[in-house]
Amino acid sequence: MLAAIAAIALALVAHAAAPAGDPADARMREEAAAFERARAGDHAGSTERLEVLLAAAPASERACLWRERIFLNTIDGGDDAAMWAAAEALVDSWLAIRERADLRAPLVRVCRDDVASTLRYLAARWHYEAILRTCEVESIERAVIAYRRYLELFPGGPGAYEVSFYLAHALYRGIYLSTKPPGQGCVITCGNAAWRAEEARRARGEPPPSCDPKTARDGELAMCPWMRAARDAFREVLERDPAGRHTEDAAYAQLALTLQMAAYGERERIYECRTNKNGECVVRGTWRSPCSDRSGSCVAPTLDPERWPSVSFGGYGSRWPPWRTP
């Protein structure tokens, strides 16, 4: 942002001596007015003026600055679709400038930095929302799209390693969100919905579900694509920098996910039937009865820290993307 302001100031000085009636000078005055409206809180008015500028001079080298201001204006409205549309338009402006200008030119560098910051901001914003506010898979899907767009545009950039790790983290979060019952809050107590689904499946005579570690299968669980994508994303983190700061976490995560997919449903098979050394069913398993979410016998164990030992993949589970302002 500071670089963008500096570029605008330099341009204003350069145009100060422009002859009266010069279209470039008129555009600079209109730009200054649009930016002033944004500072005053009139984001809609600012966007309207900038859209007029873009319609009059779509190939201007300053189009990227106008697009970035429009994106910042959309944040005030909080509409996810509008923010993403403005971000994509900003990316398009940068790609157009990059094709016809020197990559070392100040405005090109400023535009590139604005694009990178915008995509990381949106990814982090939606990542946080999926974990702390909405707890819906749609939010994590938006974060994944933004992370991947960043890596597509800046595969070798200085922030690519961190972004690749947080992409993997987001995909892992999608495993849980993809199976959460609609309307369910961020915390599920007891898992009664899962137990009822297991009982219904057994009543139909269907085998326990599984996730193929390599390829998709018809009728597989909704979480399976997320598990494979998360596993592959953690592996990419390792490939980017085998000695990076997230190596331990990424190595543990990709191995754990692979094992989890390969052995998914094994516990249910064990409950279903105890076998002898030859694999023959000898004793039918007994099943726990679902408990009420409000009963003390159900809720109390979940509050005991010793009841549910947690493994956070070496600690990566608590590392969320840094909150960034665009």
Side-chain angles (χ1 to χ4, degrees):
M1 286 301 297
L2 292 176
I5 294 173
I8 293 170
L10 289 173
L12 288 171
V13 172
H15 286 78
D22 188 333
D25 186 59
R27 286 197 293 269
M28 290 303 297
R29 290 195 299 270
E30 187 69 10
E31 176 187 300
F35 277 60
E36 180 58 35
R37 286 203 174 196
R39 285 191 290 271
D42 182 7
H43 300 288
S46 172
T47 295
E48 183 178 354
R49 283 178 173 266
L50 292 171
E51 292 287 2
V52 171
L53 279 173
L54 287 164
S60 171
E61 63 178 3
R62 304 185 65 75
C64 190
L65 296 177
W66 303 338
R67 287 292 183 189
E68 196 248 354
R69 182 63 259 179
I70 290 175
F71 166 73
L72 294 176
N73 290 340
T74 64
I75 293 177
D76 180 66
D79 184 279
D80 293 325
M83 285 189 284
W84 184 245
E88 285 281 45
L90 173 60
V91 169
D92 291 341
S93 289
W94 176 60
L95 294 177
I97 293 175
R98 187 182 67 175
E99 290 300 321
R100 66 174 188 270
D102 186 348
L103 290 177
R104 295 170 297 180
L107 281 177
V108 177
R109 294 201 308 271
V110 168
C111 188
R112 177 199 62 201
D113 293 344
D114 287 344
V115 168
S117 180
T118 293
L119 292 175
R120 291 193 65 169
Y121 166 79
L122 284 178
R125 176 189 180 112
W126 290 329
H127 197 158
Y128 266 84
E129 286 183 353
I131 294 173
L132 299 177
R133 188 172 68 83
T134 67
C135 293
E136 296 295 340
V137 71
E138 290 78 12
S139 294
I140 211 68
E141 287 174 341
R142 285 192 288 268
V144 167
I145 290 172
Y147 281 132
R148 285 178 169 161
R149 187 67 166 137
Y150 179 96
L151 293 173
E152 175 190 345
L153 295 172
F154 310 103
Y161 177 73
E162 289 294 324
V163 168
S164 66
F165 176 76
Y166 289 120
L167 167 61
H169 182 285
L171 289 166
Y172 179 78
R173 186 63 177 178
I175 297 172
Y176 161 69
L177 295 179
S178 66
T179 60
K180 185 175 68 66
Q184 173 70 54
C186 294
V187 178
I188 295 179
T189 305
C190 284
N192 282 353
W195 290 349
R196 286 192 293 269
E198 290 175 1
E199 290 177 345
R201 187 170 58 249
R202 289 194 301 276
R204 294 192 298 267
E206 298 175 6
S210 63
C211 287
D212 192 301
K214 296 181 179 180
T215 58
R217 290 180 175 178
D218 292 338
E220 68 180 5
L221 297 171
M223 70 170 66
C224 295
W226 290 93
M227 294 177 75
R228 285 190 293 268
R231 185 268 316 274
D232 294 343
F234 280 117
R235 182 181 297 146
E236 182 179 342
V237 175
L238 296 173
E239 293 171 350
R240 282 183 177 275
D241 187 356
R245 63 189 293 259
H246 300 302
T247 293
E248 180 181 351
D249 301 333
Y252 191 103
Q254 65 92 21
L255 177 60
L257 285 167
T258 300
L259 293 174
Q260 185 176 357
M261 283 185 285
Y264 194 89
E266 288 301 319
R267 183 176 63 178
E268 185 171 340
R269 291 185 182 91
I270 292 172
Y271 288 153
E272 191 174 63
C273 180
R274 298 179 184 179
T275 61
N276 59 20
K277 62 180 181 180
N278 297 321
E280 299 168 338
C281 180
V282 291
V283 179
R284 285 289 172 184
T286 57
W287 292 88
R288 297 168 295 173
S289 299
C291 59
S292 168
D293 284 348
R294 297 181 180 179
S295 70
S297 61
C298 173
V299 177
T302 68
L303 303 179
D304 181 359
E306 299 300 324
R307 176 65 179 83
W308 302 108
S310 90
V311 177
S312 63
F313 291 166
Y316 101 92
S318 62
R319 298 185 190 176
W320 296 347
W323 186 259
R324 293 175 61 96
T325 55

